């Protein structure tokens, strides 16, 4: 008779280096389940199968610990020791490393932030909240539309992964924001440097991984309400979340509503095309917007693994400054007294996602499968134009882009022994794009992508970990020709057409790889090095566009003969960490072969109503720079930090800098923990920040120089016990000195429009417990 399979357990104690028990949180990564140790540090995890697991152990005031353990036929008892650290972020684990084995083992530079960080640095959009990290900046269009930049690169050169699925939202446009609910993000890990090996094309400059929070504990139903108000544009944000776990059936739902009015700038006039124009009431007309988001996750967690399905919908309706399309004048810049109106021109965007995530245990190995469907609908609406190519169109739909994306990823994590482990992965996607409206920019296309990779990690010595991998990819773009009807002087059809773009059928194949090392000198010092060759397949917009892109104020034209970009990159990272001090330095260098970019031709467009002609070109280029991170806790309750970044690039053919390069900047801050004066006020803090941004004088041809500036921010927060529930309050202010400045990466910089003035933010988070175990 076969012996019945017995479930196993892990018991143990979490203690400080002095031997004191710690009520730490212990999470089994692969299963998303965890438990909290008691006041003596004792814990127990039950119902585990034999196999290989990664335990993440965290406790505030101590460095995070990741331990790889193997269960065979007997229960396991552990004695875990945590090192004290006054540096807050050291209590966070890093999981972007594909082997999930700790923050020092991976060879790339990774920044990680959690929900608390994002709430404290709430700036209205998800991308703007990440700007506090060194090496991260954003391209903005007003206050509701922003996209991330890593080390001077954006668009299709960085990837945003939401729950393992690459976000596809027409990210080639500077005026196309990142469609992510800022309140529906629990954890973000930013991988800097070449990441095409694991993630595929578009990961050549970095990856932003949005990871869900650990699944709720068994027998609990809980949630929270978040309300915030920003004074500059009267932004009102409300978000409600509830999650629970009933006998390993898990669920989580969220609804978010945001409304905002035209925002204020510290100016009453601006200069555009040599004309001085007014800013009435110091508000930029038609920069109001509203957002409606929801998400729902449900699934199962068992001892064999876990499976979840998440459905989310992001919807945003945002006005575009009245002078952004066409030539602004005093008449159309005047307010009608309603600052919340969303007039023309505007964007009306919807992003629907259905994502399935499954992790299955196969003895000591794990199989991860991510499946996704996305539908991105982008409507750009404006008053009709007569461009001399046809009759006046009906309706206000200038451009409609409708993109369906299907994605499938699978990874087999193979545990060989204590020194060797590997990952074999396959990825595939299919995109189908359609368009409409009375303007033409991007044709209909279908795109197939598929790739496979092998990645291996070898612990050469106890303190030296090596890794290397190789990847093979293939892709195909099928782009349909677009024929524009020709009309006579009386706007009658002639029966003839003009071809705006030809049929394009292109195949691409790429081989890429990387190798890295992490050298752990001792428990305080770590040196990393990573060498990689990445690639990027040219997008359909780069191959086939031929139209007026009002978002960038120019006529853009593609090149059907573009080849794939190739990069050769080197990244270093040095970290020295003590109980009260953290110093990190991350230099990088990259050579890009056939770098794709938009360049002015010096000619005027042949399309009526357009201005200059810009075309996609390829040249070789170099990027170099570094990030510096310094954190110091000189005395209990005081923490100071300094973060700096610098990016240098050059087009090796024109000998000019590349456009939209972020200027060097330095962010200094000090945070004080406030003493507890009453039993109902806890965890109070006060912080002060100052960001100094240098002038950007290294600009491309026809790109404006931008002067430097300094910004002062401050914040105050505390917890108030209401019926034994900790309500979190925060009062913060940005640009407290109401500084007049230009953001070099802002789309409105082209119009000489300054950024937001003083902004005070009020934030309240109310936790809700419906059931506890």
């Amino acid at each position: 008779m076969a012996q019945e399979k017995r479930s196993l357990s892990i018991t143990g104690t979490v203690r400080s280096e002095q031997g004191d028990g710690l009520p730490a949180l212990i999470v089994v990564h692969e299963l998303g389940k965890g438990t909290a140790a008691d006041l003596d540090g004792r814990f127990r995890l039950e119902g585990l199968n034999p196999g290989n697991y990664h335990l993440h152990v965290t406790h505030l005031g101590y460095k995070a610990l990741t331990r790889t353990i193997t269960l065979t036929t007997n229960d396991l008892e552990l004695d875990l020791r945590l090192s004290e650290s006054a540096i807050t972020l050291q209590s966070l684990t890093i999981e972007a490393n594909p082997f999930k084995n700790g923050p020092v083992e991976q060879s790339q530079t990774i920044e990680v932030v959690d929900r608390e960080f994002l709430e404290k640095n709430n700036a209205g959009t998800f991308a703007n909240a990440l700007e506090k990290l060194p090496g991260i900046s954003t391209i903005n269009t007003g206050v509701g539309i922003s996209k991330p930049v890593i080390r001077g690169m954006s668009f299709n050169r960085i990837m945003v992964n939401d729950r393992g699925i690459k976000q596809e939202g027409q990210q080639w446009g500077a005026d196309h924001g990142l469609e992510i609910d800022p309140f529906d993000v629990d954890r973000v890990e930013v991988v800097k440097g070449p990441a095409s090996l694991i993630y595929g094309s578009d990961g050549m400059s970095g990856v932003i991984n949005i990871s869900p929070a650990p699944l709720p504990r068994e027998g609990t139903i809980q949630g929270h309400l978040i309300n915030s108000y920003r004074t500059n544009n009267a932004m009102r944000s409300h978000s409600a979340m509830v999650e629970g776990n009933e006998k390993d059936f898990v669920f989580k739902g969220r609804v978010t509503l945001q409304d905002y009015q035209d925002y204020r700038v510290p100016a009453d006039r601006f200069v555009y095309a040599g004309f001085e124009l007014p800013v009435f009431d110091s508000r930029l007309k038609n920069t109001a917007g509203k957002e409606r988001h929801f998400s729902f996750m449900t699934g199962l967690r068992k001892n064999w693994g876990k499976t979840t399905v998440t459905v989310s919908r992001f919807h945003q309706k945002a006005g575009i400054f009245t002078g952004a399309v066409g030539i602004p004048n005093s008449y159309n810049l005047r307010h009608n007294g309603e600052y919340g109106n969303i007039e023309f021109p505007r964007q009306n965007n919807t992003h629907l996602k259905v994502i399935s995530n499954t992790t299955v245990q196969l003895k000591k190995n794990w199989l991860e499968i991510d499946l996704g469907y996305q539908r991105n609908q982008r409507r750009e609406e404006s008053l009709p134009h007569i461009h001399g190519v046809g009759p006046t169109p009906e309706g206000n739909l200038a451009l409609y882009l409708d993109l369906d994306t299907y994605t499938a990823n699978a990874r087999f994590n193979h545990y060989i022994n204590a020194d060797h482990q590997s990952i074999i992965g396959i990825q595939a996607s299919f995109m189908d794009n359609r368009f409409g409206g009375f303007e033409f920019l991007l044709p209909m296309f279908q795109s197939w992508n598929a790739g496979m990779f092998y990645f291996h990690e070898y612990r050469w010595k106890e303190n030296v970990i090596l890794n290397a991998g190789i990847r093979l990819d293939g892709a195909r773009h099928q782009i349909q020709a677009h024929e524009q009807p020709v009309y006579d002087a009386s706007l009658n059809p002639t029966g003839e057409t003009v071809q705006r773009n030809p049929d394009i059928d292109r195949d691409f194949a790429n081989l890429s790889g990387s190798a890295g090392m992490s050298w752990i000198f001792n428990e305080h010092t770590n040196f990393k090095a990573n060498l990689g060759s990445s690639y990027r397949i040219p997008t359909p917009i780069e191959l086939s566009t031929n139209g007026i892109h009002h978002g960038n104020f120019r006529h853009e034209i593609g090149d059907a003969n573009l080849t794939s970009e190739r990069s050769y990159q080197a990244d270093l990272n040095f970290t020295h960490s003590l109980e009260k001090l953290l110093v990190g330095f991350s230099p990088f260098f990259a050579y890009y072969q056939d770098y794709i970019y938009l360049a002015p031709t010096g000619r005027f467009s042949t399309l009526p109503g357009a201005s200059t002609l810009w075309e996609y070109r390829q040249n070789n280029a170099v990027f170099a720079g570094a990030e510096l991170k310094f954190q110091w806790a000189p005395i209990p309750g005081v923490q100071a930090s300094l973060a700096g970044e610098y990016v240098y690039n050059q087009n090796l053919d024109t000998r000019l800098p590349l456009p939209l390069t972020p200027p060097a900047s330095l962010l200094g801050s000090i945070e004080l923990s406030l003493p507890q004066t009453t039993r109902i006020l806890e965890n109070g803090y006060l912080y002060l920040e100052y960001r100094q941004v240098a002038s950007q004088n290294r600009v491309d041809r026809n790109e404006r120089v931008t002067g430097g500036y300094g910004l002062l921010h401050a914040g105050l927060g505390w917890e108030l016990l209401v019926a034994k529930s900790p309500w979190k309050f925060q009062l913060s202010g940005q640009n407290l000195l109401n500084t007049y400045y230009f953001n070099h990466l802002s789309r409105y910089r082209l119009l000489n429009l300054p950024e937001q003035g003083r902004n005070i933010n009020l934030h309240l988070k109310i936790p809700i417990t419906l059931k506890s175990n």
Side-chain angles (χ1 to χ4, degrees), residues 608-622:
S611 55
T612 57
L613 180 68
W614 291 58
E615 63 183 11
Y616 281 100
R617 297 176 179 172
Q618 287 190 295
N619 292 111
N620 298 335
V622 295

Side-chain angles (χ1 to χ4, degrees), residues 68-373:
T68 301
I69 60 100
T70 300
L71 289 176
T72 53
T73 58
N74 298 314
D75 296 338
L76 185 65
E77 185 171 354
L78 300 174
D79 183 15
L80 303 173
R81 298 293 182 108
L82 299 184
S83 300
E84 286 190 60
S85 175
I87 309 301
T88 305
L89 291 181
Q90 292 199 65
S91 64
L92 300 177
T93 59
I94 294 177
E95 299 182 10
N97 173 20
F99 294 111
K100 314 295 186 295
N101 55 357
V104 297
E105 280 83 357
Q106 72 269 352
S107 59
Q108 289 188 286
T109 302
I110 300 177
E111 301 279 356
V112 56
V113 296
D114 61 0
R115 159 56 46 192
E116 183 177 351
F117 175 93
L118 295 170
E119 289 178 358
K120 183 181 291 187
N121 296 285
N122 174 36
T125 68
F126 163 64
N128 286 119
L130 300 180
E131 285 190 295
K132 297 292 180 68
L133 301 177
I136 311 297
S137 47
T138 59
I139 296 175
N140 299 312
T141 302
V143 298
I145 302 171
S146 66
K147 61 194 313 146
V149 179
I150 299 178
R151 292 177 170 175
M153 292 191 179
S154 186
F155 307 100
N156 287 77
R157 291 188 179 89
I158 67 172
M159 288 179 62
V160 176
N161 281 337
D162 184 9
R163 297 171 174 86
I165 297 295
K166 177 188 173 186
Q167 179 96 354
E168 289 287 0
Q170 307 285 5
Q171 56 265 32
W172 44 264
D175 55 331
H176 301 173
L178 183 60
E179 289 116 348
I180 297 288
D181 178 358
F183 295 97
D184 197 28
V185 179
D186 289 285
R187 181 185 179 89
V188 182
E189 297 177 348
V190 182
V191 183
K192 301 176 186 175
S196 292
L197 174 66
I198 300 296
Y199 301 101
S201 182
D202 291 6
M204 64 191 322
S205 180
V207 174
I208 296 177
N209 280 315
I210 302 173
S211 302
L215 298 178
R217 294 174 59 185
E218 165 67 29
T220 62
I221 301 177
Q222 59 191 15
H224 61 238
L225 298 174
I226 296 177
N227 300 278
S228 67
Y229 179 79
R230 298 173 69 82
T231 59
N232 182 280
N233 60 343
M235 175 180 275
R236 300 168 304 281
S237 303
H238 310 282
S239 187
M241 184 275 288
V242 62
E243 63 179 0
N245 183 336
E246 287 290 333
K247 298 180 180 179
D248 287 331
F249 170 77
V250 296
F251 64 91
K252 180 178 182 179
R254 181 181 294 276
V255 176
T256 297
L257 297 84
Q258 287 201 131
D259 294 87
Y260 49 92
Q261 299 179 0
D262 300 336
Y263 69 87
R264 296 180 175 87
V265 295
D268 57 10
R269 61 193 65 249
F270 71 106
V271 177
Y272 177 73
F275 295 94
E276 186 176 274
L277 297 167
V279 180
F280 291 100
D281 301 325
S282 296
R283 288 178 179 257
L284 292 186
K285 184 181 180 182
N286 200 40
T287 56
K290 65 179 181 179
E291 301 177 8
R292 302 290 184 265
H293 319 314
F294 90 86
S295 67
F296 181 76
M297 178 276 292
T298 186
L300 293 173
R301 180 179 65 193
K302 297 293 184 179
N303 56 2
W304 49 261
K306 59 183 178 179
T307 182
T308 61
V309 175
T310 304
V311 179
S312 65
R313 182 180 184 270
F314 175 101
H315 178 73
Q316 179 189 60
K317 186 177 182 180
I320 305 296
F321 176 60
T322 301
V325 176
I327 303 299
N329 57 62
S330 296
Y331 174 76
N332 62 25
L333 294 177
R334 184 178 295 276
H335 285 281
N336 60 6
E338 295 292 335
Y339 299 121
N341 286 354
I342 306 173
E343 303 173 358
F344 300 113
R346 64 192 181 202
Q347 290 186 10
N348 199 332
N349 307 319
T350 301
H351 195 105
L352 173 69
K353 286 183 290 192
V354 181
I355 297 175
S356 168
N357 303 111
T358 301
T359 301
V360 179
Q361 186 179 34
L362 302 173
K363 296 183 178 180
K364 292 185 178 182
N365 310 308
W366 292 90
L367 175 65
E368 298 174 311
I369 301 174
D370 301 320
L371 305 174
Y373 166 73

Side-chain angles (χ1 to χ4, degrees), residues 16-18 22 59-64 82-85 90-91:
S16 68
E17 292 180 320
Q18 291 74 33
L22 300 174
H59 186 59
L60 189 63
Y62 292 82
K63 289 185 182 180
L82 299 184
S83 300
E84 286 190 60
S85 175
Q90 292 199 65
S91 64

